[in-house]
Amino acid sequence: MNIAIVGPGAIGILFTTMLSKAGQNVCLLDHDKQRVDFISKNGITVDSKDKTYNYQVKITDKAGDLQDIDLFIICVKSYDTKDAAMSIKPVLKDSSLVLTLQNGLGNIEIISEILGQERVIGGVTNQGANVISHGKIRHAGFGDTVIGKTDSKIPAYLRDIREVFNKAGIPTRISKDIRALIWSKLIINVGINALTAITHLKNGQLLEYEGTRNILCQAVSEAMKIVKRKRIKLIYDDAIEKTEAVCEATAQNISSMLQDVLKKRKTEIDYINGAIVKQGQSLGIHTPVNSILMDLVKSIEASYNKTVCDKEG
Ligand code: KPL
């Protein structure tokens, strides 16, 4: 399968490497020319549980290089979804499919509007990975990946993608209810991401302290009120239990939002806890804990460029 991965974050790099290693024809699209040159020369290094390996991958900074692509996998941050979709629009062939493996709410809608709903596949991954440096990642958690269509159909190409992913060592299954899938992942991110970004704790450490455990439970419980009102059937029974299980499964992982904060980058807070606050407002459901988490992360972002003394003064 000819695959293009859009977005050089940890998940984009991980999928590029695993799918290339499994013999697929994969190219990574990265807007940063300097990083493209570095990775072209040095390949990708993956630190995994028990081994480290280096792998040569195809990478480009020009969307025009991506010809005859069967599957685009969008791995950019939610606030870059529109730009990513626009950049690949000119190189799509009629049969090209576009899979989003992003966090947060709203990505399927944005991609569908720009590239056409019929080619869009929703997906979530609980693989945990962190960027260590240019071209070097740590594969910290081996969660599952779930894909599905918004119309609940299971066309043959969905099975093909599942097979390609499974053969590459990315455990993947298909769901008929993509909305449930996106919300099921969102709830986990609501419980983990902002809290780790604020406390600088790894996912597993959130369970070690009464305070963080309590806040995690409250943030998830608020989000569950929205889930119930919208009559969304999640893919697990107990949201708090599931979020805690993901903390354990990805215990050593630095969440994507904490990685952003550590690198002083914009976060996806508006698409995660911010999305819960917004939904709560439109449904008349109070979400005070999510609102505080959102305000704290936004304050952290806004004060990136202040020194400690500035902050004190
Ligand atoms: O999706 C994640 C993220 O960091 O964004 C989790 C599942 C929390 C793993 O770190």
Side-chain angles (χ1 to χ4, degrees):
M1 195 178 275
N2 292 337
I3 302 173
I5 304 214
V6 185
I11 292 295
I13 289 182
L14 180 70
F15 273 67
T16 302
T17 314
M18 293 181 82
L19 290 165
S20 303
K21 269 184 87 194
Q24 302 302 327
N25 183 21
V26 189
C27 186
L28 177 62
L29 178 63
D30 180 355
H31 56 88
D32 182 337
K33 172 88 174 86
Q34 214 189 342
R35 190 165 47 203
V36 168
D37 291 343
F38 182 89
I39 293 176
S40 300
K41 195 164 152 223
N42 302 292
I44 299 283
T45 302
V46 180
D47 262 354
S48 201
K49 240 190 216 151
D50 42 9
K51 58 180 184 296
T52 296
Y53 61 87
N54 180 272
Y55 202 78
Q56 211 60 41
V57 298
K58 285 190 206 160
I59 181 165
T60 182
D61 62 332
K62 294 178 195 68
D65 290 348
L66 304 172
Q67 296 302 325
D68 197 23
I69 297 296
D70 304 307
L71 175 66
F72 288 87
I73 307 179
I74 310 283
C75 299
V76 297
K77 297 287 181 188
S78 301
Y79 48 78
D80 280 334
T81 302
K82 189 174 173 198
D83 286 351
M86 295 298 285
S87 75
I88 60 169
K89 193 174 179 179
V91 290
L92 287 186
K93 54 179 183 175
D94 286 350
S95 59
S96 296
L97 301 165
V98 183
L99 165 65
T100 151
L101 284 182
Q102 302 163 273
N103 281 338
L105 276 191
N107 293 303
I108 293 184
E109 291 74 9
I110 296 171
I111 299 169
S112 299
E113 205 179 305
I114 298 170
L115 304 178
Q117 191 207 323
E118 58 304 331
R119 63 171 89 242
V120 180
I121 304 166
V124 294
T125 184
N126 290 314
Q127 292 279 356
N130 319 135
V131 174
I132 300 170
S133 58
H134 265 7
K136 184 165 184 185
I137 59 164
R138 180 177 300 115
H139 189 183
F142 289 75
D144 56 350
T145 296
V146 193
I147 57 176
K149 293 281 296 170
T150 44
D151 58 10
S152 304
K153 290 187 181 142
I154 305 186
Y157 61 70
L158 220 49
R159 296 197 174 92
D160 294 344
I161 296 170
R162 177 180 61 185
E163 197 181 326
V164 164
F165 282 13
N166 278 324
K167 278 193 179 147
I170 302 165
T172 301
R173 57 192 174 82
I174 294 171
S175 166
K176 278 188 170 177
D177 189 351
I178 189 66
R179 191 165 81 126
L181 209 74
I182 304 285
W183 274 86
S184 299
K185 178 77 195 293
L186 176 73
I187 298 298
I188 292 166
N189 292 130
V190 161
I192 298 177
N193 291 32
L195 206 44
T196 51
I198 294 162
T199 58
H200 289 203
L201 293 172
K202 287 185 177 169
N203 295 356
Q205 290 175 306
L206 290 181
L207 305 181
E208 288 174 23
Y209 306 96
E210 206 187 324
T212 46
R213 228 183 158 126
N214 277 341
I215 298 171
L216 181 151
C217 289
Q218 289 175 48
V220 169
S221 302
E222 283 179 8
M224 283 309 292
K225 287 188 195 156
I226 293 166
V227 165
K228 286 198 180 112
R229 177 75 67 83
K230 290 175 87 73
R231 295 175 193 273
I232 295 166
K233 173 95 188 74
L234 299 184
I235 60 173
Y236 41 77
D237 291 331
D238 187 320
I240 292 172
E241 223 171 82
K242 178 67 186 178
T243 308
E244 290 180 346
V246 172
C247 285
E248 273 161 19
T250 61
Q252 290 311 313
N253 205 31
I254 298 173
S255 81
S256 55
M257 197 174 287
L258 175 53
Q259 291 178 54
D260 288 338
V261 163
L262 292 174
K263 294 199 172 116
K264 300 190 171 186
R265 284 189 308 232
K266 191 169 157 66
T267 72
E268 293 182 297
I269 192 72
D270 282 335
Y271 300 84
I272 301 178
N273 304 80
I276 295 300
V277 173
K278 219 170 173 181
Q279 294 271 337
Q281 280 162 353
S282 69
L283 295 169
I285 295 174
H286 289 299
T287 57
V289 173
N290 279 282
S291 193
I292 288 172
L293 290 171
M294 178 184 76
D295 285 341
L296 280 171
V297 172
K298 282 183 180 254
S299 305
I300 291 171
E301 281 183 44
S303 61
Y304 278 156
N305 291 326
K306 303 218 171 178
T307 63
V308 175
C309 289
D310 285 341
K311 285 185 189 180
E312 278 170 359

